[in-house]
Amino acid sequence: PKDALVQDTTALEQRRSNLVARTVVQVVDPDQTKQLRQRLDEQLSQLQLIAESGSGGRIGPVNLSPAEQVWLKQRSDEDYQAWINAVRRAADRMLSQGLVSSLAPSQLQQAATAQMQEFTLEADAASARAIASKLLTSSFQGSSNLRTDSNLSKQLIEEQLTKQGIPTIEVRQGDLITRKGEVISPQAY
């Protein structure tokens, strides 16, 4: 009997289901982050043992070049401690941004190298940075410290729906909505 603007629930649910499939909010998981830091600390401990014993050029899955082995043997304790602190700061920055387990190893190593650019305490800082990027890469490769937050995902979906606008159906006075005996569609309803 009168004009109306009605929410199209079918179209709205279709949009929502399309957004759910591709809208996921991830947050940093403190437990995973702690485990990744522990893995890095274990490799730093192995490196310390290798440096003290002067043996081998391998820390876990990381191979050391001759120049890197020389740096390990010739560094001072103060420089080594500064280097460890720089590695941990780089790891903290990487972990605070979140790690994706499917990131290519070369990309992860590039990120680790970029995070270690601040380390320039010694003349041979390139070897120190190279060891650090190898350690960070091997510690974090194939791991993620992210988890899906369903509440934030739902909130983002609702924000996206609001931005797109709620689908509506305009009905004018006198429009035929359904006939007697027809099955009533969700849109007609």
Side-chain angles (χ1 to χ4, degrees):
K2 61 182 178 180
D3 293 347
L5 193 60
V6 183
Q7 186 179 51
D8 187 348
T9 54
T10 305
L12 181 61
E13 284 307 312
Q14 180 65 36
R15 280 188 189 173
R16 183 174 277 120
S17 67
N18 288 342
L19 283 172
V20 166
R22 58 189 167 107
T23 306
V24 176
V25 176
Q26 293 187 317
V27 295
V28 173
D29 183 338
D31 294 333
Q32 288 292 344
T33 300
K34 184 178 177 183
Q35 287 179 5
L36 290 170
R37 280 190 182 115
Q38 287 173 345
R39 191 184 307 170
L40 176 64
D41 286 341
E42 288 170 9
Q43 289 201 2
L44 286 169
S45 296
Q46 288 179 11
L47 181 67
Q48 179 67 29
L49 292 174
I50 288 171
E52 289 171 358
S53 68
S55 67
R58 189 169 180 83
I59 306 139
V62 177
N63 287 320
L64 298 178
S65 70
E68 294 163 353
Q69 290 178 28
V70 167
W71 178 82
L72 272 179
K73 293 173 187 170
Q74 294 178 351
R75 90 280 183 267
S76 69
D77 287 340
E78 293 158 359
D79 286 346
Y80 186 68
Q81 195 57 47
W83 176 79
I84 286 178
N85 291 335
V87 171
R88 287 187 175 137
R89 281 192 307 276
D92 287 343
R93 285 191 299 270
M94 292 174 76
L95 292 169
S96 70
Q97 293 172 344
L99 291 175
V100 180
S101 61
S102 59
L103 189 63
S106 61
Q107 292 279 299
L108 187 58
Q109 188 159 11
Q110 186 179 7
T113 301
Q115 291 294 342
M116 285 301 296
Q117 288 303 315
E118 73 176 47
F119 187 76
T120 56
L121 296 177
E122 306 171 17
D124 194 18
S127 291
R129 283 194 298 265
I131 296 170
S133 67
K134 287 178 182 180
L135 282 174
L136 289 167
T137 301
S138 70
S139 295
F140 298 159
Q141 185 178 353
S143 300
S144 176
N145 67 335
L146 299 173
R147 65 175 167 77
T148 301
D149 186 313
S150 59
N151 290 332
L152 290 176
S153 296
K154 288 176 189 172
Q155 184 180 350
L156 180 61
I157 290 168
E158 293 306 318
E159 287 173 10
Q160 293 294 322
L161 287 172
T162 303
K163 282 182 185 176
Q164 292 177 4
I166 305 296
T168 56
I169 302 169
E170 187 175 345
V171 182
R172 299 262 181 235
Q173 180 179 350
D175 283 354
L176 180 64
I177 297 173
T178 188
R179 287 184 166 33
K180 183 178 180 181
E182 280 184 349
V183 176
I184 299 175
S185 68
Q187 189 174 20
Y189 179 76

